[in-house]
Amino acid sequence: MLLRFSHLQLNSTDRDAMRKAGKFNAQLMDFLRPHVREGVDTGSINKLVHEYTLDHCHCPATLNYHGFPKSCCTSVNEVICHGIPGDYILKSGDIVNVDITSIVDGWFGDQSETFLIGEVSDDARGVTQCALDCLYLGIDSLQPNGRVSDIGDAIVREAQRLGYSVVREYVGHGLGTQFHQDPSIPHYPNRQARSERIPPGICFTIEPMINVGTRQTVLDKSDQWTVRTRDGKHSAQFEHTVLMTEQGPEILTTTKDGPFRGHKF
Ligand code: MF3
Ligand code: CO
Ligand code: CO
């Protein structure tokens, strides 16, 4: 079991390539952050992501990925993930997750943040806080050769404590020269995750999606991308790319401006 992911263990050159990809992606998030505010439409956020990435001679990974039409995902309020940027104008009270993924010299960086727009409800703020805390609790649960299920155990414990639910259909993933590869990183414990361990050199994302109400999801019938909560209540998410090292987890997508571990919304 320990060797299941040995073919994905990165050497020091490859680790540096992933560090570079994560660093660029984080720099893009820092550039974007001040633009995500009331009155801005999600299509303009996409345009900023697209142009900044091309200006730096890198590639937006989501564009044309299995037919996805844009260079980032923008998921507003009850949208859990994979929202397609368009003409929706952000208004006070909204929460929006912006998920950006870049390809830098063939290597991927992937991260997302949920932004509070103007004055938001207690539920919207609470679920956003919980999603950020769950991301860091997941990261802090990691140790070299530790179990994948340690992540889900930590996340479910925190979500349950606050009466929120954890999405199951969409999971974190291995990341390297491909967008979605092994290992699968569920944000809840299951039998497979209990049997799998993460050795040094493995790169992956943690990206918990936390719901105010039910964990059940609905895929949009017309666009076949947008994933919503079944009950229409809010959902929030944060994502980092993480490299397991001999010393423990290293976050590759740390931004200059945060939000960092322990941030209070
Ligand atoms: N960035 C998302 C993730 O964290 C995946 C988006 S794929 C897309 O895995 F096709 F919906 F863009
Ligand atoms: Co991801
Ligand atoms: Co992502």
Side-chain angles (χ1 to χ4, degrees), residues 169-189:
E169 289 89 338
Y170 303 89
V171 296
H173 49 92
L175 193 71
T177 55
Q178 302 216 48
F179 199 161
H180 294 107
Q181 63 187 35
D182 272 344
S184 170
I185 308 287
H187 306 105
Y188 58 94

Side-chain angles (χ1 to χ4, degrees), residues 226-244:
T226 308
V227 180
R228 294 189 178 81
T229 56
R230 180 152 292 186
D231 58 10
K233 294 186 179 174
H234 287 74
S235 181
Q237 178 181 28
F238 287 83
E239 173 177 29
H240 270 312
T241 301
V242 175
L243 168 69
M244 181 58 78

Side-chain angles (χ1 to χ4, degrees), residues 23 28 35 37 63 73 103 136 145 158 173 182 246:
K23 192 172 179 179
L28 167 56
H35 298 282
R37 51 185 162 73
L63 187 59
C73 300
I103 314 174
Y136 282 101
N145 299 309
E158 175 67 2
H173 49 92
D182 272 344
E246 286 71 12

Side-chain angles (χ1 to χ4, degrees), residues 13-124:
T13 312
D14 295 347
R15 292 183 193 192
D16 281 345
M18 280 301 287
R19 289 187 177 100
K20 185 178 167 190
K23 192 172 179 179
F24 171 74
N25 207 68
Q27 194 184 307
L28 167 56
M29 189 63 94
D30 278 324
F31 160 75
L32 202 60
R33 197 174 291 103
H35 298 282
V36 184
R37 51 185 162 73
E38 196 174 342
V40 173
D41 63 273
T42 55
S44 325
I45 294 171
N46 174 71
K47 192 163 184 277
L48 289 165
V49 171
H50 187 80
E51 287 174 358
Y52 185 93
T53 307
L54 294 193
D55 285 349
H56 290 77
C57 302
H58 303 313
C59 288
T62 63
L63 187 59
N64 300 321
Y65 179 74
H66 294 285
F68 190 82
K70 298 288 176 179
S71 297
C72 64
C73 300
T74 50
S75 302
V76 180
N77 296 336
E78 79 284 5
V79 178
I80 296 170
C81 62
H82 305 168
I84 302 173
D87 51 20
Y88 180 80
I89 299 170
L90 296 172
K91 61 176 196 313
S92 181
D94 285 341
I95 59 172
V96 58
N97 175 275
V98 181
D99 191 335
I100 52 179
T101 315
S102 325
I103 314 174
V104 174
D105 306 332
W107 297 86
F108 286 68
D110 187 10
Q111 74 196 107
S112 80
E113 290 180 14
T114 297
F115 297 85
L116 308 184
I117 308 298
E119 283 301 308
V120 308
S121 68
D122 289 347
D123 270 351

Side-chain angles (χ1 to χ4, degrees), residues 155-177:
I155 289 171
V156 166
R157 193 180 308 124
E158 175 67 2
Q160 276 182 354
R161 188 178 75 79
L162 297 165
Y164 296 136
S165 65
V166 179
V167 171
R168 296 191 174 216
E169 289 89 338
Y170 303 89
V171 296
H173 49 92
L175 193 71
T177 55

